[in-house]
Amino acid sequence: MTSIADLALLDELREIAVTIACEAGQLASVGRLEGVVVAATKSSADDIVTEMDRRVEALLVERILAARPDDGLLGEEGAERVSTTGVRWIIDPIDGTVNYLYGIAAWGVSVAVEVDGVTVVGVIHSPDLGETYVAVLGQGARRHDARGVHELRVNEPVGIAESLIATGFGYSAERRVAQARVLSHIVRRARDTRRLGACSVDLCMVASGRVDAYYERGTHAWDYAAGGLIVTEAGGHFGGLRGAQPGEEMILAAGPALFAILDGELSRLRADSDETSDVFGPAN
Ligand code: IPD
């Protein structure tokens, strides 16, 4: 993407993404004061959908189609539409739904835009944190907050022992046991670990240097599409293990050197499997 026409398209997509993410965040914030209604569960009883997830996704879809009626869509709560323009929007109306339910600040509206399958814009608006993260392919990543606009840069610690490593857990008990097994190894070696509860926010924390790395098995494109671009535009690496694309098997985000170390370590631990028995010997 280098021509003036391409740059104009990127500007347009970024502008729409920021506007709708902020409007959606406002709707969710105001709605939260009126009480949160759990509308349904999905993959397990712990995988909840609130009324507000649905209302916010409907608002995002309405705004996207009003601005760009021929674009495609993929949304966590079911929005799906084929694109005839090469542009597709990947949206998570409320990432960190359980945090939203309990009133923990780490939740956000995540809006990513792909052109011909490449993510070119990523916006994550977190109303309770008072932060909006914006990345455009080739143009860097920034955080907008009450103190101004900040260019983002990942940390590059020298090893796992100097690293604060975030992760997350899935919604099935079996998956969580497998993830706890992996974490039992990581926690012995890292400076410390964090479980923030919102994949999109975790990725923003990596991009901001507030944690050094984040990995999780079982997340979806709507959780990580925007955040993945925010990480790479902040100088980090974002992918799966052993050269795989980011996907449900695993996502890993970190500065380049730590990414390589954790890629090796998580591969050794078979973190991209649901292996529950510790066949790797004593945790080390
Ligand atoms: C979830 C959050 C959570 C992660 C889960 C995701 P949701 O998204 O990002 O941190 O551990 O894997 O599904 O359901 O709150 O949109």
Side-chain angles (χ1 to χ4, degrees):
M1 282 231 161
T2 46
S3 73
I4 290 180
D6 294 336
L7 290 174
L9 176 63
L10 290 183
D11 281 352
E12 180 196 345
L13 297 174
R14 186 205 63 234
E15 188 67 36
I16 296 169
V18 170
T19 304
I20 65 175
C22 291
E23 186 183 356
Q26 173 74 7
L27 173 64
S29 288
V30 170
R32 195 173 185 289
L33 301 176
E34 292 157 10
V36 182
V37 179
V38 176
T41 58
K42 294 191 284 189
S43 60
S44 84
D46 303 325
D47 188 2
I48 57 164
V49 184
T50 69
E51 281 295 345
M52 194 51 76
D53 284 278
R54 292 175 172 170
R55 281 182 61 191
V56 173
E57 181 155 309
L59 174 75
L60 289 168
V61 169
E62 187 184 318
R63 294 291 187 262
I64 291 165
L65 294 183
R68 296 188 49 92
D70 300 319
D71 289 355
L73 284 165
L74 178 68
E76 177 174 21
E77 308 313 336
E80 196 159 8
R81 194 166 193 279
V82 173
S83 174
T84 57
T85 60
V87 175
R88 185 171 76 139
W89 298 73
I90 302 178
I91 55 177
D92 190 339
I94 300 177
D95 182 48
T97 305
V98 175
N99 284 348
Y100 178 78
L101 175 67
Y102 280 82
I104 296 171
W107 61 273
V109 179
S110 179
V111 178
V113 195
E114 288 178 346
V115 175
D116 298 332
V118 176
T119 307
V120 297
V121 170
V123 174
I124 294 167
H125 175 56
S126 180
D128 286 358
L129 295 177
E131 297 177 341
T132 306
Y133 292 81
V134 182
V136 177
L137 185 66
Q139 297 181 19
R142 292 169 189 86
R143 180 180 65 243
H144 302 247
D145 61 25
R147 284 172 293 128
V149 183
H150 316 271
E151 299 285 337
L152 302 183
R153 207 71 206 156
V154 296
N155 293 338
E156 193 59 289
V158 291
I160 296 181
E162 293 77 33
S163 302
L164 182 60
I165 300 178
T167 191
F169 292 88
Y171 288 117
S172 85
E174 192 193 6
R175 169 71 52 86
R176 287 175 176 175
V177 170
Q179 290 170 317
R181 174 189 63 75
V182 174
L183 188 59
S184 74
H185 291 264
I186 297 294
V187 79
R188 284 166 194 250
R189 302 204 36 210
R191 167 170 284 152
D192 207 342
T193 55
R194 292 290 182 271
R195 194 305 194 232
L196 301 178
C199 168
S200 60
V201 176
D202 283 296
L203 291 166
C204 291
M205 296 300 113
V206 175
S208 301
R210 290 174 174 168
V211 300
D212 297 305
Y214 162 68
Y215 72 91
E216 186 168 344
R217 172 165 167 74
T219 58
H220 299 89
W222 46 77
D223 298 310
Y224 61 71
L229 182 67
I230 292 168
V231 168
T232 55
E233 286 297 318
H237 279 194
F238 176 67
L241 301 185
R242 298 177 293 275
Q245 291 298 308
E248 289 185 37
E249 288 71 30
M250 178 58 67
I251 58 171
L252 169 61
L258 183 61
F259 185 101
I261 295 168
L262 284 171
D263 185 5
E265 187 63 14
L266 293 169
S267 298
R268 185 181 75 81
L269 294 169
R270 301 208 326 240
D272 52 352
S273 78
D274 286 331
E275 177 68 59
T276 52
S277 61
D278 217 344
V279 294
F280 310 97
N284 58 40

